[in-house]
Amino acid sequence: MAKTDTPPIFKREDYRPPNFAVDSINLDIELNPSKTIVNSIIKLKRLSAGALVLKGEGLELLSLQLDGKAWSDYALTDKSLTLNNLPDQCELAISCSTQPDKNTSLMGLYVSRGNFFTQCEAEGFRKITYFLDQPDVLTKYIVTLKAKKADCPVLLSNGNLIETKDLADGWHSATWEDPFLKPCYLFALVAGKLSCLEKKITSKSGASKLLQVWVEESDLPKAEYAMESLIKSIEWDEARFGLELDLERFMIVAVGDFNMGAMENKGLNIFNTKYVLADADSATDIDFANIESVVGHEYFHNWTGNRVTCRDWFQLSLKEGLTVFRDQEFSADLMGSASGRSVKRIEDVRLLRQLQFPEDAGPMAHPIRPDSYQEINNFYTVTVYEKGSEVVRMQHTLLGEAGFRKGIDLYFKRHDGQAVTCDDFVAAMADANQVNLDQFKNWYSQAGTPRVSIKEHFDASKKTYTLKLSQSCPETPGQKIKAPFVIPLLTKLLGANNQSEFLIELKDESMELTFNDLSSKPTLSINRNFSAPINLDFEQSIEELIYLFEHDDDSFNRWEAGQKIAQQLILSGKAPSKALIDVYRRLLEDNSLDPAFRELALTLPSETYLHEQVEVVDPQAIHQARQQYKNEMALALKSSLEKIYQNLESSRRPYSPDAKSAGERALKNFALQMLVQTNDPAMASLAFEQFKKADNMTDRAAALSALVNQESDYATEALENFYLRHEHDDLVIDKWFAMQATRQPGANSKVIDDVLQFRDHPAFQITNPNRARSLIHAFCMNNPANFHASDGSGYDFWADSVITLNKINPQVAARLARALDRWKKFSKTNKDLMKNALERVAREKDLSPDVQEVINKALH
């Protein structure tokens, strides 16, 4: 096992409020890459007996004063500063220093491309200065930034700019005041050489607002879509929830070195460039959609996360689950149609089932409100975010749109300016609607994906149709026995006297429902729109599923039926029947259906999703079966696919990332990929022609991906052309690495050999999280057929990479470490090799708490 000390375990039940409140904090920060001086003045008020324990990491304490005099009654460690015998009210002055240019963890204050940035969530502020670094310490900040004007002409922090000054020796300063109480995890500063795109808008109340998107000057043309998305977000939140922007200005800043997607610091959102920069030549339709979604998500945090924040980090889903629900609804509303909303819902559920369901079934399973953790950074998970969103969505389903809005309004009325808990949110929903949600809260406290089993019986003589439903939930770490959930199941009986959709609330371990006066057996459509995040055990014949695939009026369940058909046939090694091919063809050619839906309906379940549907995973067998099924589809549908491709290609318009145009491109490029799959040389030539003449990244990348995956003779030339065209655009080169790291197994070369060579490529920088993810994470987490090679080469590469990244950036390393946490589910050969790799990492000295927690949980 690891030779490092075992990190402490933090438990939700041990939460205690701090001994002191912070009335205000003034920060004076002298920015220097090698030694930044941070002077803080903290006004304190005692709340309870005990010492004041301030957190601090990687800091040098320079001086300490209490009420203007030196203070010596303190104890200093490498993680904390403890002050004893403080009076009930006092003013504490601390001077310390930090080294931003040495900070490869990208937490706290760091330097990227000569500019200064911060990332304080969850516990980065303690790397800037000594403080009560916990989310329930809310106070007002006044921040003065100082730097050499030539190096840092731009000085930004939270809130409103109240003063700028030119200082001696070429320095200058800017003072910012945030008028709202906030926890330190929402503190931010940005300083350096940046340019901004700005616009002024008028809010619903008539107030003028200044919006700014700050990027490097050369990237200004790529900031327009982020600005458009910000304006849409502000307008949507006013219209849907009555929530107005509460600051004079709102800023977004893009940085290329960033651990996360973005961060909702109050009024000064810091973003990974991936979720800001876009134009037709460099960004795909998916990139544009992600920018819109992430900009919305971070802006919506201004209320759900900033104005009302978390009491402690166990409550993380309070803000993240709710805000993911809000950004999903935002994106769905912007789709502009009912079918567009369905496409968005399908995309969200695919993500949930491919990533969160395995997490819920693995060693890192935890409730959306965890009971304990060793490293909080490991709990920024799909469970907290995406499953948390589904739990909020279920409340929306149970209460309806009007009831949910009443609950949101009461939540803000009660808790604006406070740090609260998940229980407080549910209480607002319950009280606003005068309902009891006590049992519903099991979703917050229990891990695991519930299973709902359904048995049906039709009695022709009595004209009755009976449903028997039962629920269970598998054992998860630390939770053997589960209480029943409240499971809302939107349901419709198709072909049953035109019955309307209705809601079943499964609250007990089992229940029975009987429907009368039915002349024939209906076809059950249940869990419509994926109304509950469950696994459904319900045996329906291929014929019934085909009926649903063709006729269900719930687009999600129509798509779901197609997925179930493909899953059953692939896992049983069967080819699609002629009848099913005919259904595929009719659906493909049905112009009354949204093109984006047609593309999703014909896209097969992913290999990682199929892994979760079997008891023992044989990754090579699953890959081969899926590929064979896909080949059969492609060959059988070739004429239809050619027709679809030619029609959409000939009718294409100037590039626009709108939902309709993006859907048409998605279907066209699906057709192209399937045509190249047939190994017809003419189809490879067609893809190469598209690659050469494409006027947008979506079409160019799709054609290149098709050529690379089939090891086409055109692939090498196309890859070289792509690289030379885009070599100075980091985000596009990320695509270039990822495309090769995720290509399918081929006869000409091993993907692992290419990946190993790419580590020495001049464009590869392991210290940059985006670049590490584009190659290392992409191969290990998004290319199962190659990663799980029977010789164990993928696992050796994984172990080497985790060990290397652990020393550079523990957060990035810990996320990569998750690639093997389902090792016990695999066949013996793979399982033994995976265990050996895990144990090799566990034996490594000086493992970070982030990585150590993941590895140890995986092995036990």
Side-chain angles (χ1 to χ4, degrees):
M1 299 305 294
K3 297 177 183 178
T4 49
D5 294 334
T6 301
I9 296 175
F10 300 93
K11 297 181 179 179
R12 183 166 58 90
E13 63 186 22
D14 293 337
Y15 165 80
R16 298 292 182 273
N19 293 334
F20 286 83
V22 178
D23 283 346
S24 66
I25 179 172
N26 282 52
L27 290 170
D28 185 292
I29 304 176
E30 298 176 11
L31 292 162
N32 184 300
S34 59
K35 187 173 184 178
T36 288
I37 307 296
V38 181
N39 298 301
S40 61
I41 298 176
I42 308 168
K43 291 185 177 180
L44 297 162
K45 182 185 296 182
R46 184 178 292 280
L47 299 176
S48 58
L52 173 65
V53 182
L54 304 179
K55 301 296 185 181
E57 293 182 15
L59 304 175
E60 179 186 2
L61 180 62
L62 302 177
S63 68
L64 179 64
Q65 290 186 330
L66 191 74
D67 293 329
K69 298 179 181 180
W71 186 258
S72 58
D73 192 359
Y74 68 86
L76 181 65
T77 73
D78 61 353
K79 294 290 181 71
S80 66
L81 172 63
T82 301
L83 294 95
N84 303 302
N85 301 310
L86 294 185
D88 290 348
Q89 285 189 294
C90 57
E91 184 176 277
L92 185 64
I94 302 173
S95 181
C96 64
S97 69
T98 183
Q99 296 177 285
D101 61 353
K102 299 290 194 296
N103 185 5
T104 63
S105 73
L106 308 185
M107 289 294 292
L109 177 65
Y110 64 94
V111 174
S112 172
R113 294 167 66 98
N115 297 326
F116 293 87
F117 299 91
T118 55
Q119 171 58 32
C120 292
E121 187 177 359
E123 296 175 340
F125 193 74
R126 65 189 61 183
K127 293 188 173 187
I128 298 173
T129 188
Y130 295 97
F131 197 66
L132 280 164
D133 189 357
Q134 55 192 75
D136 58 342
V137 178
L138 279 65
T139 192
K140 290 188 177 180
Y141 287 69
I142 296 178
V143 179
T144 298
L145 304 177
K146 299 174 182 176
K148 289 183 178 179
K149 196 168 187 176
D151 297 333
C152 296
V154 174
L155 301 173
L156 308 176
S157 193
N158 311 82
N160 300 316
L161 179 63
I162 60 175
E163 185 179 52
T164 60
K165 288 182 181 179
D166 284 324
L167 306 174
D169 300 322
W171 283 61
H172 71 140
S173 69
T175 300
W176 295 78
E177 181 178 21
D178 191 338
F180 293 96
L181 296 171
K182 69 169 180 275
C184 67
Y185 82 83
L186 292 174
F187 167 80
L189 75 81
V190 172
K193 294 177 181 177
L194 297 167
S195 299
C196 81
L197 172 69
E198 65 179 34
K199 291 189 179 181
K200 287 188 176 180
I201 63 168
T202 302
S203 69
K204 193 174 182 181
S205 67
S208 178
K209 308 291 184 181
L210 175 64
L211 309 181
Q212 296 178 318
V213 180
W214 292 88
V215 297
E216 293 187 5
E217 186 174 6
S218 61
D219 289 327
L220 269 176
K222 297 182 180 181
E224 286 282 355
Y225 195 75
M227 177 63 82
E228 291 175 22
S229 299
L230 177 59
I231 293 170
K232 290 177 185 177
S233 303
I234 294 169
E235 293 173 346
W236 182 86
D237 219 14
E238 286 183 339
R240 179 79 181 261
F241 288 102
L243 300 172
E244 187 173 336
L245 175 58
D246 55 3
L247 291 166
E248 296 171 7
R249 73 170 72 195
F250 192 91
M251 299 172 282
I252 287 174
V253 182
V255 56
D257 294 292
F258 204 66
N259 286 338
M260 303 181 179
M263 178 59 210
E264 72 268 19
N265 318 297
K266 184 68 177 179
L268 180 58
N269 288 185
I270 300 179
F271 274 62
N272 191 316
T273 50
K274 183 177 181 179
Y275 298 107
V276 173
L277 305 181
D279 61 15
D281 191 55
S282 63
T284 65
D285 293 333
I286 292 173
D287 293 327
F288 278 99
N290 286 341
I291 288 170
E292 185 177 82
S293 174
V294 175
V295 168
H297 180 94
E298 304 308 332
Y299 174 75
F300 301 145
H301 265 312
N302 190 53
W303 282 89
T304 50
N306 295 5
R307 288 286 288 261
V308 183
T309 193
C310 304
R311 184 195 72 177
D312 54 72
W313 290 121
F314 299 100
Q315 318 296 330
L316 182 58
S317 199
L318 172 81
K319 71 183 185 79
E320 296 300 348
L322 175 56
T323 305
V324 170
F325 169 77
R326 278 157 48 73
D327 83 54
Q328 289 175 348
E329 286 294 288
F330 165 67
S331 296
D333 283 348
L334 291 187
M335 296 293 282
S337 66
S339 61
R341 283 190 65 90
S342 297
V343 167
K344 172 61 178 164
R345 184 66 182 138
I346 291 167
E347 290 171 346
D348 292 338
V349 174
R350 284 174 70 190
L351 175 68
L352 183 83
R353 296 207 294 206
Q354 288 178 205
L355 300 180
Q356 195 280 320
F357 278 24
E359 182 170 271
D360 240 351
M364 288 291 288
H366 56 278
I368 67 167
R369 181 187 59 198
D371 292 320
S372 66
Y373 63 80
Q374 289 178 295
E375 174 50 63
I376 185 56
N377 290 324
N378 286 337
F379 282 83
Y380 283 75
T381 61
V382 282
T383 296
V384 165
Y385 281 68
E386 273 69 29
K387 186 177 180 180
S389 170
E390 295 298 317
V391 171
V392 173
R393 184 175 296 277
M394 284 188 287
Q395 292 172 76
H396 182 275
T397 299
L398 290 166
L399 301 173
E401 173 67 17
F404 187 81
R405 174 63 187 271
K406 283 165 53 178
I408 285 285
D409 289 346
L410 181 59
Y411 176 63
F412 288 120
K413 182 179 179 181
R414 284 180 175 177
H415 302 299
D416 190 9
Q418 298 177 15
V420 299
T421 68
C422 295
D423 288 331
D424 292 318
F425 177 79
V426 178
M429 288 289 159
D431 294 348
N433 292 278
Q434 297 183 327
V435 296
N436 187 321
L437 293 175
D438 288 349
Q439 184 186 349
F440 182 86
K441 289 196 293 185
N442 288 339
W443 283 103
Y444 286 88
S445 59
Q446 296 184 158
T449 305
R451 303 198 76 89
V452 173
S453 298
I454 298 175
K455 296 190 180 299
E456 61 178 354
H457 176 70
F458 177 67
D459 190 322
S461 62
K462 295 180 180 179
K463 297 184 177 181
T464 60
Y465 176 68
T466 302
L467 284 179
K468 293 182 178 179
L469 298 90
S470 62
Q471 64 165 295
S472 61
C473 189
E475 177 182 335
T476 53
Q479 293 185 337
K480 291 187 176 182
I481 300 174
K482 309 292 176 71
F485 294 86
V486 175
I487 301 178
L489 298 166
L490 285 170
T491 306
K492 189 172 184 179
L493 305 182
L494 300 182
N497 303 339
N498 297 316
Q499 284 206 11
S500 301
E501 183 179 80
F502 55 94
L503 182 65
I504 297 174
E505 291 186 42
L506 178 59
K507 296 181 177 180
D508 299 320
E509 289 186 1
S510 62
M511 68 181 298
E512 184 171 309
L513 295 166
T514 299
F515 304 86
N516 299 309
D517 299 321
L518 299 182
S519 57
S520 60
K521 179 183 178 298
T523 302
L524 180 65
S525 174
I526 194 165
N527 204 28
R528 292 159 68 85
N529 203 42
F530 203 68
S531 55
I534 60 167
N535 281 310
L536 198 61
D537 293 334
F538 178 41
E539 290 189 12
Q540 288 178 294
S541 66
I542 291 291
E543 291 71 27
E544 287 176 306
L545 290 172
I546 287 177
Y547 175 81
L548 291 169
F549 192 35
E550 284 206 274
H551 302 295
D552 201 323
D553 59 355
D554 179 82
S555 295
F556 177 85
N557 268 17
R558 187 175 185 180
W559 169 83
E560 175 83 312
Q563 296 293 290
K564 288 181 178 178
I565 293 166
Q567 174 190 317
Q568 288 184 24
L569 295 177
I570 291 170
L571 293 179
S572 60
K574 296 178 181 177
S577 65
K578 182 180 182 304
L580 179 56
I581 290 294
D582 289 341
V583 175
Y584 283 141
R585 182 177 292 107
R586 287 195 293 272
L587 190 149
L588 185 63
E589 297 178 354
D590 186 349
N591 291 325
S592 69
L593 294 173
D594 190 306
F597 176 78
R598 285 185 271 166
E599 185 265 335
L600 284 171
L602 270 76
T603 298
L604 300 178
S606 71
E607 288 177 37
T608 51
Y609 178 73
L610 292 172
H611 288 181
E612 295 300 315
Q613 311 312 309
V614 296
E615 290 295 322
V616 178
V617 179
D618 183 336
Q620 303 309 319
I622 287 175
H623 171 73
Q624 292 298 330
R626 185 180 182 276
Q627 283 296 101
Q628 183 61 37
Y629 188 95
K630 188 175 179 181
N631 291 341
E632 298 279 352
M633 275 183 70
L635 290 167
L637 296 171
K638 188 178 179 187
S639 60
S640 295
L641 291 164
E642 287 187 83
K643 183 167 67 174
I644 289 288
Y645 179 82
Q646 295 299 343
N647 287 344
L648 289 170
E649 175 66 8
S650 62
S651 62
R652 64 188 175 93
R653 301 175 295 279
Y655 181 82
S656 168
D658 66 274
K660 182 176 185 296
S661 301
E664 291 172 352
R665 279 188 294 274
L667 181 59
K668 179 190 75 173
N669 288 320
F670 169 80
L672 180 65
Q673 178 235 332
M674 293 291 279
L675 288 168
V676 175
Q677 182 90 16
T678 65
N679 285 320
D680 181 344
M683 298 301 102
S685 178
L686 185 69
F688 191 51
E689 283 303 307
Q690 174 172 309
F691 172 81
K692 289 189 293 184
K693 69 181 184 183
D695 64 354
N696 63 84
M697 178 55 70
T698 302
D699 285 346
R700 188 178 306 122
L704 179 57
S705 178
L707 295 171
V708 169
N709 272 311
Q710 289 304 115
E711 291 191 318
S712 164
D713 292 341
Y714 299 106
T716 299
E717 180 182 349
L719 282 166
E720 291 174 355
N721 177 295
F722 188 89
Y723 184 86
L724 290 173
R725 178 181 180 130
H726 299 287
E727 63 180 317
H728 300 298
D729 190 321
D730 289 342
L731 294 176
V732 180
I733 297 304
D734 286 339
K735 293 178 173 62
W736 184 80
F737 277 116
M739 203 176 295
Q740 296 173 88
T742 56
R743 72 171 171 83
Q744 297 302 305
N748 296 334
S749 67
K750 282 187 174 183
V751 179
I752 184 64
D753 293 337
D754 295 341
V755 171
L756 289 169
Q757 288 183 2
F758 280 136
R759 290 188 305 184
D760 298 321
H761 192 282
F764 183 72
Q765 295 174 310
I766 198 168
T767 55
N768 176 263
N770 284 353
R771 193 52 47 88
R773 287 187 284 256
S774 74
L775 179 68
I776 300 171
H777 289 63
F779 175 75
C780 296
M781 307 188 88
N782 300 325
N783 195 343
N786 285 296
F787 178 58
H788 294 292
S790 57
D791 62 1
S793 55
Y795 309 144
D796 290 338
F797 172 72
W798 168 87
D800 291 340
S801 300
V802 171
I803 291 167
T804 300
L805 283 165
N806 174 72
K807 298 171 184 175
I808 299 169
N809 190 323
Q811 281 194 48
V812 175
R815 285 176 173 81
L816 178 62
R818 298 289 302 275
L820 292 195
D821 65 8
R822 295 288 279 147
W823 66 277
K824 294 178 182 177
K825 190 174 174 65
F826 283 72
S827 58
K828 181 171 174 28
T829 299
N830 289 93
K831 185 160 63 174
D832 290 345
L833 292 168
M834 293 162 93
K835 185 180 181 184
N836 289 340
L838 283 161
E839 289 175 338
R840 177 154 79 87
V841 175
R843 289 191 297 269
E844 191 70 16
K845 291 181 179 180
D846 300 322
L847 279 184
S848 65
D850 310 60
V851 173
Q852 191 177 357
E853 179 176 24
V854 173
I855 299 297
N856 288 349
K857 285 186 174 180
L859 284 169
H860 289 96

